[in-house]
Each structure stands twice: as C-alpha cells, then as structure tokens.
Amino acid sequence: CCVILLVACSGKKTEVAEGYENVDSLPSMYTRDVNTLISDSGVTRYRVHAKQWLVYDKVKHPRWDFPCGIRLEQFDQNYQVHSEVTSRKAIYYINSEMRILSDSVRATNRDGEVFETDELTVIQDQDLIYTDKPVKITQKERIINGVGMRSNHQLTRYTIEKTQGVITLDEEETATDSI
C-alpha cells in the first residue's frame, strides 16, 4: 500500500496555464469553412460561404465576425442565383442588425449591375445600403463612378453622390430634346 502511495505522489506535477483576464472578449464560437443555406417561410433563399465565422456574444456590442471574408448568394424562385455579395471582411452587429462589409466589396443585383467599393453598410430595419467611399457601378451600357451611394437592399433603387463618368448620348435623342 505504501509503495502505491509513493509512486502515485512522486509523479510529474501538473501545471496550470494562465488564463485570460477578460474571457468575455473571446469568441464563444469559432467555425471554419462555413457553407450554409438560409430559408424564408420554408423556401431556400440564400447561401452563405465563409472561411471563418467568429461569434462574440458576451461583448458590449455582440457581433458575428467574418475576418476572412464572406459570399452571400440570393436565389430566385427557380433556385438560380440572381444576386450576390462578396467581401474580404464582414461584421454583423446582432443588436442593431447592421452589417459592415469591407475590403474589396462586390455586389451584383438581379439586373446584372455590378457594384464595387471598399465598404458597404447595410441597415436591415431601414432597407438601406450605403457607402461614403468611392463606388464603381458597371451597367450594361456604361460605367458610373462616384463617391458615396445610397440604395435599397436589392440595389435596384440607388443614388450616387459626386458622380463621375462618361455618358454617351444618341444624336437623335439630343436633337429631340432640344426641340
């Protein structure tokens, strides 16, 4: 019996690692290689791709963080992708339902127009997407550049501030307008 106690007590000591001072500032969930579908009223509407998804739900402003970017695809009624958004970084603030997409943001609406900027802010309850950064919109017939944009969530009704670009006019249209 004494031999067992001596052997048991003479083993290596267990070391305890130092903890973090503010555990609440750490993510409560960390997920890699996210590929998920989101439904609305039982119908699949969206697909989300992300390399990393971190959930911070114990912090003052709870958020989801996508530090390696995100791609969101929206489906039509035939499950074809009709619009999508990509960015290299994204944050979703849970309480305010505000999303900030940053670093090479690219969005395509259902009409095929492509929006490119360095940052987009989406405010869910106001049906508002905006940026105060330079924006480039590629349409079928032209490219529009500006600094600042306001839009609805579908990117179908938008205004561009401080616009720049070349707009070609048809001679017949110009002649008709001047009469």
Side-chain angles (χ1 to χ4, degrees), residues 38 40 43-47 71-86 106-115 140 152-156:
I38 300 170
D40 180 16
V43 178
T44 302
R45 298 285 184 206
Y46 304 95
R47 179 176 20 221
R71 186 169 101 216
L72 174 70
E73 300 169 317
Q74 185 175 18
F75 301 113
D76 63 13
Q77 64 272 15
N78 298 319
Y79 301 105
Q80 300 298 313
V81 176
H82 71 77
S83 60
E84 72 177 309
V85 178
T86 61
R106 181 182 169 98
T108 305
N109 68 12
R110 61 181 155 213
D111 297 328
E113 296 174 312
V114 179
F115 298 75
K140 291 177 183 157
N152 64 341
H153 281 158
Q154 293 78 32
L155 292 170
T156 54

Side-chain angles (χ1 to χ4, degrees), residues 58-73:
K58 305 273 191 263
V59 296
K60 183 176 181 179
H61 301 286
R63 69 185 185 278
W64 296 353
D65 192 0
F66 301 90
C68 295
I70 192 168
R71 186 169 101 216
L72 174 70
E73 300 169 317

Side-chain angles (χ1 to χ4, degrees), residues 15 59 90 95 100:
E15 292 185 29
V59 296
N95 293 341
I100 300 175

Side-chain angles (χ1 to χ4, degrees), residues 124-170:
Q124 188 70 32
D125 63 351
Q126 295 179 21
D127 189 28
L128 174 65
I129 295 176
Y130 72 89
T131 185
D132 294 325
K133 307 284 185 192
V135 63
K136 174 182 173 184
I137 301 172
T138 305
Q139 300 173 331
K140 291 177 183 157
E141 292 93 25
R142 64 182 158 256
I143 296 174
I144 303 171
N145 293 299
V147 178
M149 180 192 76
R150 303 285 182 267
S151 176
N152 64 341
H153 281 158
Q154 293 78 32
L155 292 170
T156 54
R157 291 187 323 264
Y158 52 87
T159 57
I160 305 162
E161 300 169 8
K162 300 179 188 171
T163 57
Q164 306 166 344
V166 177
I167 299 175
T168 56
L169 298 175
D170 187 16

Side-chain angles (χ1 to χ4, degrees), residues 11-24:
K12 294 181 181 178
K13 292 184 178 181
T14 304
E15 292 185 29
V16 177
E18 289 187 36
Y20 291 93
E21 287 185 27
N22 189 359
V23 177
D24 292 343

